[in-house]
Amino acid sequence: MRYLCRVRGPAGGRRAGAFPEWQERTGTIAGRSLRDEHTSTTWVPVRQRDTAPDAPVNLVRATDILDAAPPAG
């Protein structure tokens, strides 16, 4: 799946007024989605592409997922 995430630039880019940039990344859904009842936000656990199967997952907002497809094969 492809998704957007916010990342900070190099240390010099963290000065006042420097905002995180959006980057497109690729990963694999790593579990069931979670829904925050207070904000009505759905979060999806995603493991970044080319990482170990036991690597920590990141929670990605469902609205930031650009494209998802079932695994091939």
Side-chain angles (χ1 to χ4, degrees), residues 8-71:
R8 294 208 180 263
R14 292 186 182 171
R15 65 185 182 278
F19 295 101
E21 294 182 8
W22 288 96
Q23 282 188 354
E24 185 177 311
R25 293 201 176 167
T26 305
T28 303
I29 295 175
R32 301 187 86 162
S33 61
L34 308 166
R35 183 169 173 87
D36 184 338
E37 294 178 6
H38 300 287
T39 63
S40 297
T41 301
T42 301
W43 296 91
V44 179
V46 174
R47 187 169 288 116
Q48 283 188 346
R49 186 176 184 179
D50 299 330
T51 59
D54 60 346
V57 297
N58 297 320
L59 291 178
V60 176
R61 289 185 308 181
T63 56
D64 293 335
I65 295 174
L66 301 173
D67 180 34

